[in-house]
Amino acid sequence: MFAFLLNSFFLLAAETHGESRFTHFYNQYFNVPGFELWKFINLGLFIAIMVYLVKKPLSDAFKAKRDQIRAGLIKAEQEKQAALERLTVASAKLAQMEVEKEEVVKNAKNEASVEKKRLAEQTKTDIDRLNQQTDAELNRLYQQSRSGLRRFSAEESIRLAEEKLRAQINDEADTRLVKANIQSIGGLN
């Protein structure tokens, strides 16, 4: 576009029978193959027009993206604060659980010692009761054995005395004893 305007200007500015000074300057310095000034000017105009046309939508898009990023950062900060609060609550609960654990362990130890004492006392009571039962049973067995031995001793003494008497008594002694017994009861009637 700029090239068209520039060429139109040169056509109007050109002298009829020769080159003007501007055309000569342009051709000598700026119309070098590969370096045409009009291409750079055209590119500059294109970029300026594009910046002018795209500036508003891009600035709105960038502003929206910036706001979106800012909102994301604010949300992330809020989530971080919420996570820190939850962490604090969890840490407090964990500390409370530690205290409760120590308390439970302490109570369990106390209960175990109380139970141990109770079992020791119950065992001692059971041992005393069993000792008394054993003593009573031994005493009963002793009395039974003693009674049995007395009976055996008495029976054996009687048996031995009877054997001795039988060995000493003959017919003549027997007759004499019978007569003595009869006289002691009052005689024969």
Side-chain angles (χ1 to χ4, degrees):
M1 176 170 151
F2 182 70
F4 174 72
L5 291 175
L6 193 59
N7 284 336
S8 299
F9 174 74
F10 288 136
L11 285 176
L12 293 174
E15 291 181 10
T16 56
H17 54 60
E19 290 184 356
S20 70
R21 280 188 286 147
F22 178 74
T23 307
H24 175 68
F25 176 78
Y26 174 76
N27 284 335
Q28 185 176 357
Y29 294 108
F30 292 113
N31 201 8
V32 178
F35 181 76
E36 287 93 13
L37 181 63
W38 64 271
K39 288 182 182 178
F40 290 106
I41 294 172
N42 197 13
L43 178 64
L45 280 175
F46 175 75
I47 291 174
I49 291 170
M50 288 305 289
V51 166
Y52 176 75
L53 291 177
V54 177
K55 181 179 181 183
K56 179 95 173 152
L58 280 179
S59 69
D60 290 343
F62 287 146
K63 193 180 288 182
K65 189 65 175 176
R66 183 180 65 228
D67 291 342
Q68 183 181 6
I69 291 171
R70 184 176 291 139
L73 287 173
I74 290 171
K75 183 179 177 184
E77 184 64 30
Q78 289 172 347
E79 288 176 356
K80 179 183 173 186
Q81 292 300 325
L84 286 174
E85 288 176 16
R86 286 193 307 266
L87 178 65
T88 304
V89 169
S91 297
K93 283 183 180 180
L94 185 61
Q96 182 65 25
M97 287 182 142
E98 275 297 319
V99 170
E100 288 177 7
K101 181 186 91 170
E102 290 173 5
E103 186 175 318
V104 166
V105 167
K106 181 181 175 185
N107 288 341
K109 285 181 180 178
N110 288 342
E111 287 177 8
S113 67
V114 167
E115 184 67 15
K116 184 178 177 182
K117 287 178 185 177
R118 186 189 67 78
L119 286 175
E121 289 174 4
Q122 183 178 0
T123 303
K124 185 178 179 188
T125 305
D126 288 346
I127 289 171
D128 290 343
R129 182 179 49 82
L130 287 174
N131 282 337
Q132 288 174 355
Q133 286 177 351
T134 304
D135 289 343
E137 184 68 21
L138 286 174
N139 193 19
R140 185 184 66 78
L141 289 174
Y142 172 74
Q143 292 299 330
Q144 280 181 345
S145 297
R146 190 170 175 199
S147 168
L149 284 174
R150 278 185 188 162
R151 196 175 314 120
F152 176 73
S153 172
E155 287 173 1
E156 200 58 31
S157 295
I158 290 172
R159 188 184 65 80
L160 287 174
E162 190 177 299
E163 282 180 12
K164 215 178 196 186
L165 283 174
R166 283 188 190 198
Q168 290 177 357
I169 295 182
N170 53 16
D171 288 337
E172 183 181 312
D174 188 30
T175 308
R176 204 175 7 124
L177 281 174
V178 170
K179 283 182 185 179
N181 278 336
I182 290 175
Q183 281 181 359
S184 68
I185 54 173
L188 283 176
N189 295 345

